[in-house]
Structure formats: C-alpha cells, structure tokens
Amino acid sequence: MSATPKNPVSPESPENPANPVAARESTFAALRDQLHQAAATFAGGPDALEDILLGMVDDVDRAVREPLEIFPVCHHSPASALAMARRLREKQPKVVYLELCEDMAPLLTELRNCRLPVAVQAFASEVEGFPPEWAPLSVVAPITEASAEYQAIAYALDTPGVELVLVDRSSDHVFQWDSRGERAPEPAEDGTDGAGGAGDGTALHGEAVGVEIGDLRPRFAELEEHLLRHGKVRHWSEWWHQYVELPLGGGDHQTYRQVMLLIGSLFRRLAPGDASRVRVDEDRERYMWTRMREHLAATGTDPEDCLYVCGAFHAASRVEEFGVHGTGTFEISPRSATTWQYGLIPSSHAAIEAQFGLAAGSVSIAATEWAKSLRRTRVRPYRLEGQAGTKKSRAKQTAVPAVSALSAVPAATDKLSGFLRRPPVLDALDEAELLGWSVDIVRAARRNGYLASTADAIAVFETSILLAGMRDRAKPTPYDFQDAAVTCIEKDAVPGRRDVRRLVEIMMGGDRIGQVGYDSLPPLARDVHDRLEPLGLKLQQRGVRRALLDMASRPELRACSDVLWMLRRLLPQGAARTVMGERGLGERSIQESWDLALGTHQRALIELGYEGVSIEQVLEQRLRRAAYAPQATAATVLEAVEDATLYLGGRRLADELGTRALEVLASERSVDGAPEVLRRVRRLLGYYRTSEPVLPPWIESFVKAGYAHYCTLLPTAFTDEDATAGQVAAMLGFLFSMESLALSLGCDRAQLELAVAQSHPEDPSKTALLWAAQVQLGILSREQLRARCDELLANPLVVPAYPRYLSGFVHALEPVPGLADVVVEAVSNAFGRLPDAVLLPWLPTLISTLRSGAADLAPLLIREAGRIFPARLAALDAWVPPWRAPAPAPVHRAGRAGEEIRRGAVLPPAYPAAFDAVAELLGCEDAWAPAAVPAAPAGVALLPAYPATCDAVAELLGCEDAWAPAGPPPAGGAALLSRHPEAATALESLLANG
C-alpha cells in the first residue's frame, strides 16, 4: 500500500529541485535584478562585472539547491563553529562528510585523550616515489575547540548511529599534487616569515605542509588591499572579524550559509590565474565529490541525511563532478609506495597563525570570541567525552532520531538581499569590558618593566574609543584596543622580553599550547616515559624539570642515565640538557644533573615514534643511515662508530660501521676530513687499548689502509691549493702517531719517506710543515731547521710571509710535538730581531693566523714558552735564552785509574746538568772528581757478584763487549761500569737493601 503526498510537487513547480531555472528565478530573482541594475549603472552596460555578480548568485543558488546539504566554513572561525553546533542539533545528520585527509580518520578517536589545540599528523621519514630531498614528509591538520571541524568530529564520535567520513585527498596525494619549488610559502600578515615567530610555539609544526581546512582568504591582492583600505583595518584577520564574524555570530542558518557561499564564490571568481593552484583546488573538489558519491552508492544513505563540511571556497565549486548528480568522472590515482606513520602532535595558536599566514594573536582572539559567543547565545557546543582541558558535559548524547526528509531541510529563501541591504549593527560600548582590558594591560606592562600608571590606563581607554570612532564602529574591537595600548604605553625601547602588542595577545587568551595524552602517544614515547619514571618527575608537563641522578646510591638510575644520553643525541637541543656529568669512551659519571623539557619538545619525541618502537632502534637506524649515506665521509662514519660504542654498547654495530669506515676511506680522494679522522681514530684506539684485550680487526685494517692512503695523497696535498695547512698537518699526525702500529701490521716506512721526498710545496705554511716532517724522519737536523729560520728572518723579501711560516710551525706541533721549543725560538727571534717598522704591520696577521688556524695547538705553545721564559719580570733583564747560551766547558767524570771512559765518554762533559739530574734521581751523592785524580767507580763490586744482571743491563744499554777470561773485570759488564758508574752504584745499593 503506497502513500500519496497531500501536496504533490509538479515538475514545473519552482519548488521542484529538478527545475533549476524556475527555482533560480523564484529564489534569487530579486537579487539578480538588483545586481543587474547595479552592474549597468556602475559599468555603463553589460560586461565582465555583470558576469561576476550574476555568477556569484548562480553559485550560491547551485549550492543551496544541492540535495546533500553543504555547510561552508572558515578556518578556525568562531562564527562557523557556532553555526555548526546549532545546525547539528537541528538536523541531526546520520553521516558527516568532512574535508580532511581520508587516511587520518583512525586518529580522530584519540583526540579525547589530548588537550586542544593539537594537530593530526601524517609523517614519512623514508620516501618512495618522491624526490629524496623532500624527506621527511609531514602533513598536519591543526584542530582547535573554536572550529567547526571539531564540532562535527565531536558530534559524530559521541553520537550513536552517526558515521564520520573523511573525503579529502590522502596525505600521499598532497605531495603527489604538490608543486614543490614552484610555490613559496606565503608570509604571515604581520610581515614575519611564516615559519618563524616570536615564541617557541611557532615551531610546533616544524616544516610540515598544513591542510588548510576551510581556508578563506582572497587570492586577488588588489581585492584584499581594497577591502583593508575601505574597512580601515590593518590586516585580513581584523577585516574578517569585523565584517563577517560579528554580523554572522547571531544570524540564522540560512543567512550564514548564503553569506559564506557568496564570499567563497567572490574569492573564487576573483582568484588569479595560477594554473597549478587552480588545478589542485579543482582536483580536490573532484576527489571529495567522487568519494562522497562512492560512499552513498555503497551504503545506500539518503543524501538528505548527510552533511558535507568544507571550506566556503570549495563549496562554490563549478567542476562537473559537483553534487550527488554530477556528470564528471574523476579517476583517483593510486598512492605511492611511501610508508606513512600517523599520530597526534601538540599545536598552539602561534603555530597555526605562522603556518597559515594569520595575524599574530588572531587565533587567541578567536578563542576569546568563541567563549563570549557561547555565553551570549547560550548555544551548547559539542565536546568529546573525557576531553582533557574542558568541562564535563552534563548532557548525554542520544541516538539520532528519524527525521523526515522534507522537514530536515527548510525551504531555500533569499536571505542575501536583506543581509546586503541591512546597515551594519553597531554594538553598544561595553565600558566595563573595555575598562577591565585597560587595567589589565597596564598591570601586565608594569610586570614587564614598563613605567605605566593609572593615567596610561585612562589614556588607553579613551584612545580605544577614539580609534573605534575613526574606523566607523561604536564598540572597540580587540584590534582597536591593541593599537591604543601600543600608542599609549609603548616606549622607545622594550624593557623586557615582550612588547605591548605581545602583552595584549597574552591578555586576550595567550598562546594556548596543546598536549597529547599518554594513551595517544606512540609506543616509543610511552616507553621513554615509563623508563624515566624512577626519576619521579612530571615530564609530560611543559617547562624545564631538573633531574638529579646519584648512581652510587641508586644503581637503578643508570638505566635512566642511558635513556637520557640517547635522548640528548636524538632530540633537539634543549629537550635533554646536561648540567653536570659527561659521557665519553671509557668514562661514566657517578652523579649527573639534567634539565629536561620533554613536554615542551613533545612533537620531536612523537616523531621519533614514527621511526621505531624504541630509542635504541631509532638510534641504530640513524647511525646506519648516516654511515651508508651517499655523501658519507670517513669522519662521519667514525663518528657513527663512536656513538654506537658510546650509547648502544656491544661490538656488533660498531664493527659493522667500522668496516664501512674502511670502505669509505679507501674511496676518498681528498683530505678534507683528515683532522676529524685523526681525532676520532686516536680516541677509539685509546678506548680499545684500555678496555679490550686485543684491537678489533677493523681498526687494525683502518690504520694499515690509512697509512698507505695518506702516504699516497701526501705529495698532492702539499701542492693542492684547496688543502689547508691544518689538513696536511692532520695527515702527518696520522702517519707519525700511527706509525708504530702500522709498521707492526706490515706497512713499509720507506713509503712515507718517499712521499715526503716527493713533496714540493710552494705555500709557506706547508713548507714549514715539510721541514717539520723531515726533522721527524731524521732527514733534517734541528740545527739546520734553526738555520733556515734565521735565513728567513734575514731576507727582507721573505719577512712579510714569515707569519705564514710560523703558522705552519704551529700546525706542525700536531704531528711533531717535540718541536715546541723550536717554534718558541722562532717566534722569539722574530720579536727580538725585527724592527718595529716591520714587526708591527704583520703582528695582527700573526695573531689572526694563529687564532683561526691553530687555536687548539696554542696551549702547547704557551706551555712550552712558560717553561723556557722566566716566571718573574725582574729576572727577564738578566735572562739569556737557551739558544743563545754559550756551550758549557767540558767536565770529566772520575773513572778508574789509567782508563779512558769509552764510547759515551763525550756525553758527561757535554751535558753535566743532565747527568747530575739522573744521578740525583738514582740517589748517587758522589761529586765530580777532578780530571787529574781518577777514582775507581763505586759499583765495581757488582760485576763479580751479579754477572747475569750486569749482562742484562749491558744488553739493554747496547754494550756488546764480553767478559774477559781472567784478571780484573775489564770485559762484559765493564762497559756498563765505564759508561754509567752511577747506575752500577745504584743497582748495588738496591740489591744490598733488597
């Protein structure tokens, strides 16, 4: 049995949606006539202006007549959120289509565990199908409570029987359609870069691509300039607040829809012809309508029971796929092979403003207006059950009732004509509110160092009213009050960290920063908080927390220390900062102090969770990625080896990365990383020699290969203009310091000698390095080196380049530290011999050269100078440099009667002071005997008593004489006696006492 409606709609009736012409003429006929007359009056006849004006009406009519109700919104608009809450309670839709990346749907249920604002994020650290330089990829969609999107999400998730469907392109398609490099990020309205900002909250989104849900801003620069100039406002956010937010805040649903559709159509028709951006916008609209039609066909849902929430710009779409009866067919391309990770990250008002080019403080002002609108209109908003940071809702959601299709959508009537003809409603001045603002800003200014008083509060009050009157409004807006406060309180200089404009933003609501709850964190972040629980700190809260670790009394804190050191390595600077304690190869502190700000850097910790399930896994992956990167050098791979040994322990990963370092070193053809390679190899060798019974095979192979590698590159590096003196010195340092190990592994020293012989540098600093290498190899004596330095000082043509020679000598202290006294002598001779006319001009060059090129070697030079020069100023006048002191007179040491001191007999008279010092160390108190009175050495009794011991000592000292067959002991240990009578005496004393 079928039911017949009482008043059937005829196909020719204007109320029939199937008759769009008749409907258009009946609904907006009056408005079309008025716009036609206006176009003819202002333009003098039909032209493009009439097409634009009448086309806007057609766009509104088309969207209003669509069976699937379209709800246009603006990004983070309190008026849109208020209208959304009202419409949801009236219509009670069963399906809500939302303009948001469809692959982010599973995350929306986690919003109840977070404190808004937060952002839904899609993250990919490794990309496939995109250029490698794009990595990592990140897409965020920030959500605040004062947004229509959150109202729709809260309604759909907490109301039984309601389905929420995300219909916008996926995160993968965002980058498939993105023209990176062709489109630069738009600057913020206050003139600052969109990626930066004053506070730390602006960086919460990082470099992510934002999904502009409901973005509504004119893309025609002349139109925006015209609106700002005639609206007497500074930026777009203020214009929107004054001319859209306030008039629509108390309007009915039909008025709100038609006005938003009209604005979206205006901005769309006046958008510039950016082909790439227009193509992306139209593809998004085709994508969304295709997804909605697929869902309607699959579920059989009546379009009258659905609500489509999208930006007003997309609501006035003109693509063929528009509507449930669209004719176009759009093929959605498959996603790439990139693996995406999803999560929630904290957001803030400043981050939203910086990312989407809004004026500073506009989102905070919108949040304040949202709270005021709720109190004024008594609209009950939707909030997720258990939402952190919100009051618990007393009203319990019930299932969606069955609503008749004819009563669900009211008949479309022309609301635009009345709205456009109605003069703006001037709100009455709220003196109490404005007075409270004035008092609060003066109080905040005094706390921040301004000399503000009650008179300033009165001036701000009166100036706000004056500015509002000049801008044709009776009630000062927050923007008028901000300008008045800056005019009356701001001085020439800002005494504190915040200026008056920032103080007004804080007073109006501040930069509210969201927080992701523990249950919504990825497994890695939860694991970090669990492992740091013994510290007893609230690490999820923002701000810095001081952690004191005493591992001596509480050994269980060593595990916390390991976690903190890895976090310090992985997270940005400031997330985990050491106050006391250090960790190096073979070094562990027993007490540590940390400043932790994990709550402030929650986004970075969450993004670590996209890379692995534990921080050890993430650290290992990053070390491998750095070691196997195409641009990896031997120095970077050795750094990865050191970090693997330091933070992860064990030998598996370190040995693997060490083998990789050997491969990279063999493929290098430059010496750019030689200083870093030398430092890290020395540290690793020192660690393995003290902690391991034998050296790992990879480091032995590295030293052997490095010795041959640097010997091969040495002649080229000496003549290469791009190679610095420090790099050549590091090569020589590697060759000389690793020489003993390399020779024991089978290397040939002749290779180094040939490399030095083939080196012919032209640069003065490298020439000095070559001389130092020749001294170390024994090719050049120290006396010859001193003579060459004297020749340089004596040549007037070489004197201007002498600082560069000195720079080379200072760098030579790295491979040949024993030349420190020669370098001190060279510098001292320059200061002592050169006249002031020559010395003073190149003295700044000398200082700058030493500071920039050899800052780490200067302490060795200063220490040697402190050893040579007198410690007191009074002794300087009588002081004689050692290199100018006369040779001491020969002094003969007493020996056996009638015998000459053999072989080393020339040493005692040449260096009596050294022999006296050795005798004193050995406890020998005998004085030098006169040369004419020889005496028998005191240690003669040792020879017959301990012949084996004397033979052993003689062998160590290089004495090759054998014992005589008979008579007194002239042979064997006699050579020992002849050379070192004090040593024999000391041995006799030691054996007698033992």
Side-chain angles (χ1 to χ4, degrees), residues 24 246 306 359 426 446 461 584 947:
R24 182 162 56 246
L246 297 181
C306 303
L426 299 179
R446 291 178 62 88
F461 180 86

Side-chain angles (χ1 to χ4, degrees), residues 192-518:
T192 60
D193 185 17
D200 58 350
T202 58
L204 288 177
H205 296 173
E207 298 181 355
V209 175
V211 178
E212 300 178 356
I213 307 175
D215 179 44
L216 199 58
R217 183 175 179 178
R219 299 179 185 175
F220 190 31
E222 288 78 3
L223 172 61
E224 182 173 349
E225 182 182 357
H226 175 82
L227 294 176
L228 297 183
R229 183 175 66 254
H230 288 273
K232 298 180 181 180
V233 293
R234 292 173 301 160
H235 43 70
W236 172 251
S237 299
E238 185 176 359
W239 185 93
W240 182 267
H241 172 84
Q242 178 66 26
Y243 295 99
V244 179
E245 287 288 335
L246 297 181
L248 291 181
D252 61 285
H253 173 63
Q254 290 291 349
T255 302
Y256 168 83
R257 278 188 74 197
Q258 295 177 20
V259 170
M260 292 292 288
L261 290 170
L262 183 70
I263 296 175
S265 177
L266 172 65
F267 292 167
R268 189 183 188 94
R269 289 181 175 273
L270 295 183
D274 185 352
S276 61
R277 189 167 185 178
V278 172
R279 176 181 55 81
V280 170
D281 290 333
E282 292 180 350
D283 285 347
R284 289 181 64 186
E285 293 156 5
R286 295 186 178 99
Y287 193 107
M288 289 187 285
W289 280 108
T290 300
R291 289 302 192 200
M292 285 186 284
R293 288 203 301 268
E294 290 177 354
H295 181 269
L296 292 174
T299 59
T301 307
D302 188 352
E304 300 289 350
D305 296 333
C306 303
L307 186 68
Y308 172 35
V309 182
C310 68
F313 188 88
H314 298 294
S317 175
R318 300 189 303 273
V319 297
E320 295 178 354
E321 289 80 2
F322 180 87
V324 294
H325 302 295
T327 58
T329 57
F330 179 70
E331 294 184 3
I332 299 176
S333 61
R335 301 183 187 180
S336 68
T338 301
T339 301
W340 290 88
Q341 305 286 337
Y342 301 92
L344 297 172
I345 62 172
S347 183
S348 67
H349 292 170
I352 297 172
E353 294 160 359
Q355 184 165 357
F356 298 106
L358 303 177
S362 58
V363 179
S364 299
I365 294 175
T368 304
E369 291 295 326
W370 163 252
K372 291 171 58 177
S373 299
L374 293 180
R375 291 192 298 268
R376 183 184 72 252
T377 60
R378 299 187 181 277
V379 173
R380 185 157 52 92
Y382 288 94
R383 291 188 177 95
L384 288 172
E385 188 68 24
Q387 180 75 63
T390 59
K391 296 181 180 179
K392 187 176 181 181
S393 178
R394 296 181 180 180
K396 186 177 181 181
Q397 299 294 337
T398 57
V400 176
V403 183
S404 172
L406 294 178
S407 62
V409 181
T413 58
D414 182 10
K415 299 287 186 177
L416 285 177
S417 300
F419 182 85
L420 296 176
R421 286 197 303 265
R422 186 172 64 244
V425 179
L426 299 179
D427 295 336
L429 173 63
D430 191 346
E431 293 187 0
E433 181 186 52
L434 183 59
L435 187 61
W437 287 356
S438 303
V439 174
D440 291 340
I441 189 58
V442 169
R443 183 184 297 113
R446 291 178 62 88
R447 284 198 302 265
N448 285 269
Y450 288 93
L451 299 178
S453 61
T454 305
D456 292 312
I458 299 174
V460 172
F461 180 86
E462 298 294 340
T463 306
S464 300
I465 299 175
L466 177 63
L467 288 177
M470 295 172 60
R471 295 166 178 172
D472 297 333
R473 41 185 179 256
K475 179 181 179 181
T477 66
Y479 301 97
D480 298 328
F481 172 75
Q482 188 178 54
D483 292 341
V486 172
T487 302
C488 299
I489 301 177
E490 190 69 86
K491 311 301 179 186
D492 294 336
V494 178
R497 295 187 300 110
R498 302 183 178 97
D499 57 4
V500 175
R501 188 176 302 278
R502 178 60 181 158
L503 294 177
V504 174
E505 295 172 7
I506 295 174
M507 190 190 72
M508 289 294 174
D511 184 16
R512 187 175 302 171
I513 300 177
Q515 183 184 26
V516 180
Y518 175 85

Side-chain angles (χ1 to χ4, degrees), residues 559-775:
C560 297
S561 175
D562 296 338
V563 173
L564 293 177
W565 282 108
M566 284 186 282
L567 291 177
R568 181 176 179 269
R569 171 64 172 76
L570 295 171
L571 293 180
Q573 185 179 6
R577 185 178 65 88
T578 55
V579 179
M580 181 185 68
E582 61 178 350
R583 173 165 291 194
L585 292 174
E587 299 177 1
R588 294 293 186 271
S589 302
I590 60 174
Q591 288 183 337
E592 294 176 354
S593 178
W594 292 79
D595 280 346
L596 304 178
L598 299 184
T600 305
H601 296 82
Q602 194 179 43
R603 179 186 68 87
L605 183 61
I606 291 173
E607 289 184 350
L608 282 184
Y610 300 152
E611 302 182 42
V613 296
S614 66
I615 52 177
E616 288 84 1
Q617 180 186 3
V618 173
L619 180 57
E620 181 174 346
Q621 290 176 355
R622 290 194 178 184
L623 293 178
R624 291 180 188 274
R625 193 180 303 121
Y628 289 91
Q631 65 275 14
T633 62
T636 57
V637 180
L638 287 177
E639 180 184 4
V641 174
E642 188 173 345
D643 289 345
T645 306
L646 195 61
Y647 300 118
L648 298 177
R651 287 273 300 274
R652 176 187 57 84
L653 181 61
D655 290 348
E656 177 187 343
L657 298 180
T659 305
R660 170 64 179 171
L662 180 61
E663 298 173 358
V664 175
L665 179 67
S667 63
E668 287 185 347
R669 294 296 177 264
S670 66
V671 295
D672 296 341
E676 189 70 16
V677 169
L678 176 61
R679 284 193 292 267
R680 296 196 178 276
V681 167
R682 280 178 175 174
R683 280 203 297 265
L684 290 169
L685 271 176
Y687 169 72
Y688 286 129
R689 281 171 173 167
T690 56
S691 62
E692 300 286 343
V694 293
L695 292 178
W698 75 265
I699 200 168
E700 293 182 351
S701 302
F702 188 89
V703 171
K704 183 177 178 180
Y707 188 85
H709 179 73
Y710 287 132
C711 283
T712 304
L713 295 180
L714 189 61
T716 305
F718 267 115
T719 58
D720 188 3
E721 296 180 356
D722 296 333
T724 64
Q727 294 170 354
V728 178
M731 295 175 61
L732 292 173
F734 185 94
L735 293 172
F736 289 145
S737 60
M738 307 291 169
E739 185 177 15
S740 59
L741 179 58
L743 295 180
S744 67
L745 295 173
C747 294
D748 190 359
R749 195 170 192 264
Q751 188 177 5
L752 175 58
E753 295 175 350
L754 289 174
V756 173
Q758 294 172 359
S759 301
H760 305 286
E762 297 179 358
D763 184 74
S765 59
K766 295 181 182 179
T767 302
L769 277 173
L770 179 61
W771 293 347
Q774 291 174 347
V775 171

Side-chain angles (χ1 to χ4, degrees), residues 71-85 88 98 144-153 256 309:
F71 194 95
V73 299
C74 178
H75 192 58
H76 303 296
S77 167
S80 296
L82 199 66
M84 174 62 71
L88 289 174
L98 182 61
T144 62
E145 186 178 358
S147 63
E149 299 83 19
Y150 176 74
Q151 295 299 309
I153 292 171
Y256 168 83
V309 182

Side-chain angles (χ1 to χ4, degrees), residues 35 164 177 232 523 531 713 729:
L35 294 178
L164 178 64
W177 299 351
K232 298 180 181 180
R531 294 168 68 176
L713 295 180

